[in-house]
């Protein structure tokens, strides 16, 4: 098997990002900026396809990367990640140990994290994932067999995520779509590297809008079982955010569902 990293970034003026991220494999870089251009070149013996595009949206960025990728396994990335040396062996090794795995979710070290939104999932064992324990993996933790998601027509939502109309949640919906398609998801304890979590394009603190937005995401991902999902996450978040009761969070989730149902 071989590996490509699909990097979503913006306004890069040169190729120095490859060194900053410690790219040690082939990669497809989607640079959303003020021009349209495709450049192919080699970097430290690896093939790089650098795609500049004026259109915006992280879902569009990742989908463009998927369509231009050629590797057996693709690993999604944002530009604030610094990969550890030998990350390719760690990622491909997880798929080799789990031959039936279509999607593997890894660990990463959060640096300077200021968010407290329910915890960043940290794998403590290698195991198969179910729906309820796989919804907190960000896209930068996810690697997939390219042919498996192409076969099942799985792409990232263009409605959710940075640069889209609703600013986050595209990764959770992607994971749920993988489950719904019958793909096999696994957790692996390998740590990909470090990510700077000091800033965010979408997180503005814990407030009513935060829970309304999460209700939109959950209602989209769980169109039939959303009442149970609302109840579970309302209970879970009420334990973390003491200013919000289960009833209050649940009602905000419902507002979110009403908003997304009216979207047309």
């Amino acid at each position: 098997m071989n590996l490509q990293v699909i990097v979503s970034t913006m306004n890069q003026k040169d190729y120095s990002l490859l060194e900053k991220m410690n790219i040690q494999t082939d990669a497809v870089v989607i640079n959303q900026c003020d021009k349209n251009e495709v450049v192919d070149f080699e970097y430290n013996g690896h093939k790089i396809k650098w795609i500049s595009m004026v259109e915006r949206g992280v879902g569009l960025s990742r989908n463009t990367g998927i369509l231009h990728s050629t590797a057996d396994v693709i690993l999604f990335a944002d530009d604030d990640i610094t990969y550890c040396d030998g990350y390719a062996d760690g990622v491909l090794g997880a798929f080799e140990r789990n031959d039936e795995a279509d999607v593997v979710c890894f660990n990463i070290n959060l640096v300077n994290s200021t968010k407290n939104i329910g915890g960043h999932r940290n794998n403590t064992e290698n195991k198969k994932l179910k729906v309820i324990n796989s919804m907190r993996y960000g896209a930068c933790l996810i690697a997939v067999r390219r042919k498996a998601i192409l076969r099942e027509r799985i792409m990232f939502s263009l409605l959710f995520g940075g640069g889209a109309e609703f600013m986050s949640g595209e990764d959770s919906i992607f994971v749920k779509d993988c489950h719904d398609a019958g793909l096999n998801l696994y957790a692996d304890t390998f740590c990909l590297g470090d990510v700077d979590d000091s800033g965010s394009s979408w997180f503005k603190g814990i407030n009513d809008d935060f829970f309304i937005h999460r209700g939109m995401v959950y209602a989209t991902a769980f169109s039939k079982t959303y009442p149970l999902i609302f109840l579970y996450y309302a209970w879970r978040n009420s334990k973390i955010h003491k200013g919000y009761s289960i009833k209050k969070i649940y009602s905000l989730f419902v507002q979110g569902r009403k908003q997304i149902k009216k979207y047309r």
Side-chain angles (χ1 to χ4, degrees), residues 11 35 76 83 91 96 98 105 120 155 169 178 180 198 253:
N11 300 319
K35 65 179 179 179
F76 300 108
Y83 285 114
V91 172
E96 290 167 358
N98 302 287
C105 301
H120 168 77
M155 291 285 178
C178 289
D180 289 348
S198 58
F253 286 164

Side-chain angles (χ1 to χ4, degrees), residues 6-60:
I6 294 179
V7 182
S8 295
T9 187
M10 294 186 69
N11 300 319
Q12 299 296 321
K13 303 301 183 184
D14 54 35
Y15 303 138
S16 60
L17 179 65
L18 300 172
E19 181 178 4
K20 173 180 174 289
M21 293 180 64
N22 194 31
I23 295 294
Q24 298 179 354
T25 59
D26 293 353
V28 180
V29 181
I30 310 300
N31 179 34
Q32 295 181 323
C33 56
D34 58 358
K35 65 179 179 179
N36 291 311
E37 182 182 62
V38 179
V39 179
D40 293 284
F41 59 95
E42 284 198 0
Y43 172 75
N44 291 343
H46 302 294
K47 295 179 180 180
I48 307 297
K49 181 178 288 289
W50 191 284
I51 301 174
S52 298
M53 59 190 297
V54 298
E55 292 86 358
R56 296 294 190 263
V58 71
L60 177 62

Side-chain angles (χ1 to χ4, degrees), residues 2 14 65 69 91 101-102 131 156 163 197 210 213 228 256:
N2 60 337
D14 54 35
S69 63
V91 172
D102 300 300
V131 173
F156 283 88
D197 197 44
F210 172 82
H213 177 83
L228 292 175

Side-chain angles (χ1 to χ4, degrees), residues 114-127:
T114 58
K115 305 186 200 69
N116 179 27
I117 57 175
H120 168 77
R121 185 168 291 284
N122 186 50
N123 301 327
T124 57
E125 59 180 322
N126 301 335
K127 63 180 181 180

Side-chain angles (χ1 to χ4, degrees), residues 31-161:
N31 179 34
Q32 295 181 323
C33 56
D34 58 358
K35 65 179 179 179
N36 291 311
E37 182 182 62
V38 179
V39 179
D40 293 284
F41 59 95
E42 284 198 0
Y43 172 75
N44 291 343
H46 302 294
K47 295 179 180 180
I48 307 297
K49 181 178 288 289
W50 191 284
I51 301 174
S52 298
M53 59 190 297
V54 298
E55 292 86 358
R56 296 294 190 263
V58 71
L60 177 62
S61 175
R62 299 199 204 284
N63 291 344
T64 302
I66 291 170
L67 295 176
H68 283 271
S69 63
T70 58
D72 301 307
V73 175
I74 52 180
L75 175 66
F76 300 108
D78 296 320
D79 58 13
D80 53 1
I81 293 172
T82 302
Y83 285 114
C84 66
D85 290 336
Y87 66 85
D89 291 337
V91 172
L92 295 178
F95 283 92
E96 290 167 358
R97 289 191 299 274
N98 302 287
D99 184 59
E100 72 277 19
D102 300 300
V103 180
V104 180
C105 301
F106 296 94
N107 285 339
I108 204 159
N109 292 321
L110 294 182
V111 180
N112 301 320
S113 181
T114 58
K115 305 186 200 69
N116 179 27
I117 57 175
H120 168 77
R121 185 168 291 284
N122 186 50
N123 301 327
T124 57
E125 59 180 322
N126 301 335
K127 63 180 181 180
K128 191 170 185 178
L129 291 170
K130 299 180 180 179
V131 173
I132 202 66
N133 63 353
S134 63
M135 297 298 290
R136 283 190 284 143
Y137 289 104
C140 66
L141 305 178
I142 299 172
V144 302
R145 292 188 192 269
R146 181 178 61 89
K147 290 181 179 178
I149 62 170
L150 291 178
R151 181 190 72 221
E152 301 299 334
R153 304 186 302 277
I154 298 172
M155 291 285 178
F156 283 88
S157 172
L158 301 183
L159 191 58
F160 294 88

Side-chain angles (χ1 to χ4, degrees), residues 198-236:
S198 58
S200 175
S201 62
W202 64 270
F203 182 67
K204 307 303 180 185
I206 300 299
N207 52 32
D208 288 5
D209 286 341
F210 172 82
F211 291 113
I212 291 172
H213 177 83
R214 298 314 294 174
M216 297 172 72
V217 173
Y218 297 145
T220 301
F222 299 90
S223 59
K224 295 181 179 179
T225 59
Y226 69 89
L228 292 175
I229 298 301
F230 283 2
L231 185 60
Y232 170 76
Y233 282 107
W235 168 79
R236 189 173 176 278

